Amino acid sequence: MAKVLFINPIVREEDVPRHVPYGIALIAAITIKKGHQVQIYDHNAWRQPPEVVREVLEADDWDVVALGGITTTYGSIKSLVTQIRAVRPKTTIVLGGGVLTSLPREMMTWLPAVDIGVVGEAFQTFPDILEMFDSGQKDFVKIPGTISRRMDGGLVMGPPRTLLRDLDSLPYPAWELFPLEEVYFHNSEHLFSVEGMLAKRRLDINMSYGCSLICRFCYHLGIAGDLRYAKNDAGEDDVEFDKPGSYSRDIRYHSPEYVVKLVKYAHGRFGVDFIGFLDENLMTMDVYSGRTWLKEICRLWKEYGLQPSHLRDGTALTEHWSGVHWSGTSHATLCTLEILREMRSAGCAALVYGYESFSPQVMKRLGKGATPTTNIRSFFWSLEAGVRPIPNMIIGFPSDDFDSIRASLDAWKELGIIVRPHFATPYPGSEWFHVYRKSIEAQYKGDLEKFILDLGDATKITGVISHNFNAVELLGLRELMLKFDYARIDEYEALWRAHHRIPEGAPSTLYQDPVPLKLAS
Amino acid sequence: MSGVLKGNYKAKKDVKAETKADDLESRFERQAMKRLGGSIAFVAKRKVNWDKKKD
């Protein structure tokens, strides 16, 4: 059986490590279940210098070193694979996750040390790679969901990998192989709620995969049915994701029993007092299940004794409670007051809402299925239910203009929202990456890899997709928004209009839809 | 010092490292970064060559 070293690359270097990588923890558990020898070096948690990484690479005779992560881990992955190849010239290097899946050909080109890429979901692909490795063969192209190298150095993709149907067949994540006590539990604090602030032993869980909505800035890592195979401009096999008028989705979720038993296990084995649900959108799953899924999870949460004691007893929250609080993601249009109340009663402390904007025209163009009205409705429903709404906001959408900025400011003021908005960022795999790729490349002087290295969590500006504002303008406007400085925004609008020669009475925008947009009155 | 490798078997060699929680310098820089602005400024020591001689 293969001897496998998993390495978790660094993500968000500016922050402390907060999240055990759920995907790697699951793949490690699957690999162990298949009988392989597994070690994990969590580079994001330990953040050790190259000398220690070298010691790790020399600590055993690894057959395979496997890495993966989201796109923003690319910088760390690039440096790691270079070092792995230098220290272990004959070890097979496998790369997976969203970073590889969004741009498989580019990644394999930029990272010549990588032998095999896992395109899309790795639950079945990675064990298949190890099985082939054990058999002494190297014909990886036969394995669905791979990209590998031919003898002549060219890249070759295996057939598409179908998604795992029975998610409950997955083993529990191998959390015990990560530095929970040494690192992660020290960073349990989750500043979305008082309960989150008080968390001392937090872990995260993904109880569903995918989202039925088509937000044009969103990327679903190739595990939401969003990944398709197609020929690229050079006639080679390649991947494609959402593009205008072409969307595909596959909704999958664990059973409520699996979810709650997993939480019970985490609570019992690791003393977990808070769970962060990583799901893209809990409400889309709930709707898909006919409004039974979340209700049943909440019921079982109580039945398994996980309901926080203060909610069970109807007393005030103090620093001492038993049970498990949790948080997750909601959707402005798809949530209901009834389910929010159920969730609160079971221990839900906060829900992240991607409100994004309070401008009708911007929201209509997002593909989110929400409006300023449903944003506001969900905000008050959440407060009424006792769940703290976390309003995520973004500026710099393609059609954002002075009016949309003022619409968001008005809503922040009215609702008491204090927020530092993200910048609309065209992550690879999203529809807007597809649409604006040439413009993004031009902003990085034709070097797409530079853009990938520049990407962060959208709190800083990278590739600009706004038709009206450049990077400098967006940075300035965000600062003025933070101060609710309407006067200076108005003043700049006059300058902007003069600069762009927009006549009196015409709207302050350069944006034009390919097809005119119909807005509801 | 903690072992940075964790697995389902014992690797040939142990690799030990100090946990970041013990690193006061990092802790200070992180806290200072949160309040950066106004009179709060700091020198990130790791980005400076402290041995550089004066011209």
Side-chain angles (χ1 to χ4, degrees), chain A residues 40 43 50 75 88 126 188 233 325 353 359 393 407 434 436 484 487:
Chain A
I40 295 177
H43 191 43
R88 306 218 65 102
F126 190 66
S188 286
D233 292 344
H325 288 115
Y353 287 88
S359 156
M393 300 295 301
H434 175 86
Y436 292 101
F484 292 92

Side-chain angles (χ1 to χ4, degrees), chain A residues 3 5 16 32 36-41 46-48 55-56 58-62 177-179 182, chain B residues 1-21 30 33-34:
Chain A
K3 202 175 268 189
L5 171 65
V16 295
I32 289 169
H36 301 285
Q37 291 185 298
V38 168
Q39 293 282 336
I40 295 177
Y41 168 58
W46 294 108
R47 302 191 181 183
Q48 293 298 306
E55 281 184 59
V56 166
E58 289 173 339
D60 213 329
D61 306 318
W62 314 110
L177 302 187
F178 291 84
E182 302 94 324
Chain B
M1 297 282 275
S2 306
V4 299
L5 278 171
K6 291 177 186 279
N8 65 340
Y9 76 102
K10 189 166 170 46
K12 286 184 179 169
K13 289 182 205 162
D14 274 348
V15 182
K16 302 271 189 195
E18 278 189 16
T19 58
K20 280 286 178 184
R30 208 169 46 245
M33 185 64 91
K34 282 183 194 167

Side-chain angles (χ1 to χ4, degrees), chain A residues 189-231:
Chain A
E189 188 180 66
H190 194 250
L191 288 179
F192 284 172
S193 61
V194 174
E195 295 89 333
M197 180 185 75
L198 296 174
K200 299 279 184 249
R201 301 176 77 79
R202 175 180 50 80
L203 281 175
D204 308 314
I205 289 175
N206 208 27
M207 52 176 164
S208 65
Y209 295 79
C211 176
S212 59
L213 302 164
I214 53 163
C215 301
R216 291 175 168 92
F217 55 84
C218 196
Y219 167 44
H220 308 273
L221 310 174
I223 57 175
D226 54 324
L227 167 65
R228 303 184 295 265
Y229 278 40
K231 297 284 182 196

Side-chain angles (χ1 to χ4, degrees), chain A residues 232-400:
Chain A
N232 61 20
D233 292 344
E236 303 159 324
D237 290 328
D238 209 338
V239 296
E240 69 170 29
F241 301 90
D242 288 0
K243 55 185 188 181
S246 177
Y247 309 96
S248 51
R249 289 290 183 275
D250 192 344
I251 303 298
R252 297 175 297 156
Y253 46 88
H254 282 290
S255 69
E257 290 76 16
Y258 179 99
V259 172
V260 178
K261 281 180 181 169
L262 176 56
V263 177
K264 182 81 179 169
Y265 161 76
H267 182 59
R269 179 163 180 184
F270 305 110
V272 162
D273 60 7
F274 196 99
I275 293 287
F277 285 111
L278 304 166
D279 307 54
E280 284 193 59
N281 179 349
L282 294 176
M283 292 302 164
T284 197
M285 302 297 153
D286 198 46
V287 169
Y288 198 79
S289 72
R291 300 282 188 195
T292 59
W293 186 62
L294 280 172
K295 202 171 179 179
E296 182 63 2
I297 287 167
C298 294
R299 189 187 72 75
L300 290 173
W301 203 276
K302 294 176 185 173
E303 189 177 302
Y304 277 68
L306 297 167
Q307 183 187 28
S309 48
H310 66 100
L311 291 168
R312 182 195 60 211
D313 302 337
T315 55
L317 172 65
T318 65
E319 292 201 33
H320 307 285
W321 76 90
S322 61
V324 182
H325 288 115
W326 50 288
S327 68
T329 47
S330 188
H331 184 275
T333 305
L334 301 181
C335 70
T336 66
L337 180 56
E338 183 197 359
I339 194 58
L340 291 171
R341 282 184 173 140
E342 296 269 3
M343 291 164 81
R344 176 57 189 162
S345 170
C348 180
L351 286 169
V352 174
Y353 287 88
Y355 288 157
E356 328 303 9
S357 171
F358 282 89
S359 156
Q361 63 90 358
V362 168
M363 296 201 69
K364 181 81 179 172
R365 290 179 170 98
L366 288 185
K368 195 171 194 80
T371 64
T373 307
T374 59
N375 277 357
I376 293 167
R377 185 182 70 186
S378 68
F379 181 86
F380 285 109
W381 276 354
S382 300
L383 290 174
E384 190 179 334
V387 176
R388 189 176 283 259
I390 307 300
N392 192 28
M393 300 295 301
I394 300 177
I395 62 164
F397 288 122
S399 66
D400 248 327

